[in-house]
């Protein structure tokens, strides 16, 4: 299969060390033996902290977004370095470059692309652009819940959900730079229009990404 893996920056840089980069590199190397892989990396805490500095300067949300994009590309570069020779050595800045780089047979890793698009949106657009079979979204929770499981003990997780139901759940989310909650509306729209099979898993355990390829785990997003 052709698979797009989206990895949250907060997953890779939770402890600001190389551990998660190396763990993911090992799993991705194994997946790459049987599948064609594209990876999109988020900004996480470093992006939010830099964005906060820029916002305090009174600059626009587009500029805040641009700063966040630069951080995602640094995170992508770190994962590319962990993967060494199996990854393409440059970080694409748009979808055409990602497709061109993939022609080499190397794993393509990218960050953000343009303002107002979270890396969740980027992963969905990339999947549509390269005609991927599957998107795996590695987040900090086990799947999609009806409310924040970190705040509410009675939060219920969905094993499967439609894009319309997902849009209903996230409809109140903020759209400022660095504040995207879980998955944004642009990503959901792309998933719906192209019927992209998407699985949301807990990325704190990289093994969950491999499991999502062939076994039920987390939350599956599919059209009815």
């Amino acid at each position: 299969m052709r698979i797009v893996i989206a990895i949250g920056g907060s997953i890779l840089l939770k402890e600001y060390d190389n551990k998660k980069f190396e763990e993911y590199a090992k799993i991705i190397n194994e997946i790459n033996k049987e599948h064609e892989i594209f990876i999109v990396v988020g900004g996480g805490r470093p992006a939010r902290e830099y964005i906060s500095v820029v916002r305090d300067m009174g600059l626009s949300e587009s500029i805040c977004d641009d700063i966040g994009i630069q951080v995602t590309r640094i995170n992508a570069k770190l994962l590319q370095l962990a993967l060494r020779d199996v990854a393409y050595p440059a970080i694409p800045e748009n979808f055409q470059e990602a497709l061109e780089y993939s022609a080499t047979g190397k794993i393509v890793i990218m960050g953000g692309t343009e303002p107002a698009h979270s890396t969740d949106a980027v992963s969905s657009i990339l999947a549509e652009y390269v005609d991927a079979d599957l998107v795996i979204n590695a987040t900090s929770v086990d799947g999609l819940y009806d409310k924040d499981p970190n705040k509410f003990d009675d939060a219920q997780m969905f094993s499967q959900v439609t894009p319309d139901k997902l849009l209903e759940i996230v409809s109140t989310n903020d759209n400022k730079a660095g504040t995207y909650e879980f998955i944004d509306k642009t990503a959901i729209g792309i998933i719906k229009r192209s019927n992209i099979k998407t699985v949301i898993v807990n990325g704190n355990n990289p093994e969950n990404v491999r499991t999502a390829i062939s076994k039920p785990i987390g939350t599956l997003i599919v059209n009815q």
Side-chain angles (χ1 to χ4, degrees), residues 1-146:
M1 290 194 293
R2 179 172 282 185
I3 302 171
V4 174
I5 302 172
I7 308 173
S10 58
I11 299 295
L12 292 170
L13 284 164
K14 190 172 184 179
E15 303 298 333
Y16 278 79
D17 60 24
N18 68 317
K19 184 177 179 181
K20 272 294 185 284
F21 288 97
E22 300 287 0
E23 289 178 0
Y24 264 98
K26 180 180 178 181
I27 292 294
I28 291 165
N29 262 310
E30 293 171 0
I31 295 171
N32 189 54
K33 293 175 182 177
E34 297 183 18
H35 306 282
E36 183 180 2
I37 306 299
F38 293 79
I39 302 171
V40 179
V41 180
R45 193 173 85 195
R48 290 190 293 273
E49 290 175 351
Y50 278 113
I51 286 168
S52 178
V53 171
V54 176
R55 187 174 287 127
D56 288 344
M57 294 178 182
L59 298 172
S60 72
E61 287 301 310
S62 289
I63 293 175
C64 290
D65 264 331
D66 186 60
I67 292 297
I69 288 166
Q70 300 308 315
V71 176
T72 66
R73 291 173 180 169
I74 292 172
N75 292 347
K77 184 65 179 179
L78 291 172
L79 183 57
Q80 179 261 307
L81 292 171
L83 280 160
R84 296 174 173 80
D85 292 343
V86 300
Y88 192 83
I91 305 302
E93 296 185 1
N94 57 61
F95 305 109
Q96 179 61 36
E97 286 184 353
L99 186 60
E100 289 174 358
Y101 295 171
S102 72
T104 64
K106 301 280 190 179
I107 296 172
V108 175
I109 307 169
M110 66 188 297
T113 55
E114 59 187 87
H117 280 176
S118 72
T119 46
D120 286 330
V122 171
S123 63
S124 298
I125 297 169
L126 176 62
E128 184 180 65
Y129 198 90
V130 304
D131 195 24
D133 301 291
L134 174 66
V135 174
I136 302 172
N137 193 331
T139 71
S140 59
V141 291
D142 292 335
L144 173 70
Y145 289 80
D146 57 355

